[in-house]
Amino acid sequence: MELPKSSNYPRHARAYVDYCLQKGGVPDASSFAQYTTDLPPNRVSPIRKFMLFYQRIGQPRVVPDPKPSKIPPTANDLIQRFIQEAKTLQGERSRQTYTKALTTFFAYMNRQQQMGKPASLSGLTVTEFVHHLLKENYSPFTINLYLSAVKQLAIWCIGQREALMLTEIQLSNLGDIKAVRGLTIDRRTVSSTV
């Protein structure tokens, strides 16, 4: 969906989704009617557009953003360097999304290591991360977005192998990340209920 840069769409859609999460409901015709009852038309319109988009992508489960957790400073430094140097990231929103995805991944990896489990920037750990996100009820769309961010980081790290002083084992592990498959997203067309 193409939106003008000055659009209030994301802010209003986010407020509506937050409302649904607080009420324990889902974005549907009923919550839409309740939320928009006293809103002016210029606030209802962006939410209606969001509902059409939400239906078009198959109404995936909506879950709250994960609570931020600490990651090692070296992981944070790596993320920040990647975000600054990545040529594929256009716009502040993309950088924020990738930062969040990579922070979530490194926080998962850090928790695994603290429990004594092997975890690294490798295909095996990324596969386990995808399964973890599934268990936490992340939508397939979000999981694929997070996976894409980790894959882009891996590609960037391989390109920076000399500066990062990567070993052959680390390069092999990074290469294995490319083989991790994303989830299939159900793109069935859902008729409008709004």
Side-chain angles (χ1 to χ4, degrees):
M1 181 179 293
E2 294 293 320
L3 298 169
K5 288 193 186 284
S6 61
S7 173
N8 286 324
Y9 170 87
R11 182 169 49 94
H12 295 305
R14 175 64 184 244
Y16 168 62
V17 170
D18 286 342
Y19 166 83
C20 291
L21 290 169
Q22 288 171 2
K23 298 292 183 187
V26 295
D28 61 14
S30 175
S31 64
F32 174 83
Q34 290 171 355
Y35 184 76
T36 60
T37 299
D38 297 323
L39 294 180
N42 66 331
R43 292 211 31 224
V44 173
S45 178
I47 298 167
R48 183 174 282 118
K49 287 178 186 174
F50 165 75
M51 287 298 292
L52 292 172
F53 167 76
Y54 179 67
Q55 291 170 348
R56 211 175 314 142
I57 64 169
Q59 297 176 305
R61 181 181 164 100
V62 177
V63 295
D65 288 336
K67 293 180 179 158
S69 56
K70 294 186 178 184
I71 61 172
T74 53
N76 188 52
D77 291 344
L78 183 67
I79 292 169
Q80 294 308 313
R81 186 168 164 201
F82 165 68
I83 296 298
Q84 289 174 355
E85 295 180 16
K87 293 176 177 50
T88 57
L89 297 178
Q90 301 296 321
E92 185 59 30
R93 187 75 170 175
S94 293
R95 286 189 279 278
Q96 289 174 354
T97 300
Y98 267 52
T99 299
K100 179 179 173 182
L102 294 171
T103 300
T104 303
F105 170 73
F106 280 107
Y108 167 80
M109 197 169 82
N110 192 44
R111 282 192 306 275
Q112 294 299 102
Q113 290 170 343
Q114 288 177 350
M115 292 188 294
K117 297 180 181 178
S120 62
L121 195 50
S122 66
L124 180 60
T125 301
V126 173
T127 299
E128 291 169 351
F129 175 62
V130 168
H131 292 298
H132 165 75
L133 294 178
L134 271 170
K135 288 181 194 170
E136 293 294 316
N137 294 318
Y138 281 71
S139 73
F141 177 81
T142 300
I143 293 171
N144 287 345
L145 179 65
Y146 282 25
L147 176 58
S148 177
V150 175
K151 285 183 174 187
Q152 289 299 316
L153 175 67
I155 291 167
W156 178 84
C157 286
I158 291 169
Q160 299 291 318
R161 63 179 151 268
E162 290 176 13
L164 297 173
M165 297 183 286
L166 299 178
T167 66
E168 288 302 316
I169 292 172
Q170 289 170 322
L171 286 169
S172 177
N173 286 342
L174 287 166
D176 291 345
I177 293 172
K178 289 188 290 186
V180 178
R181 297 188 53 134
L183 303 177
T184 303
I185 297 177
D186 183 8
R187 298 191 183 274
R188 68 181 185 270
T189 304
V190 180
S191 62
S192 174
T193 58
V194 181

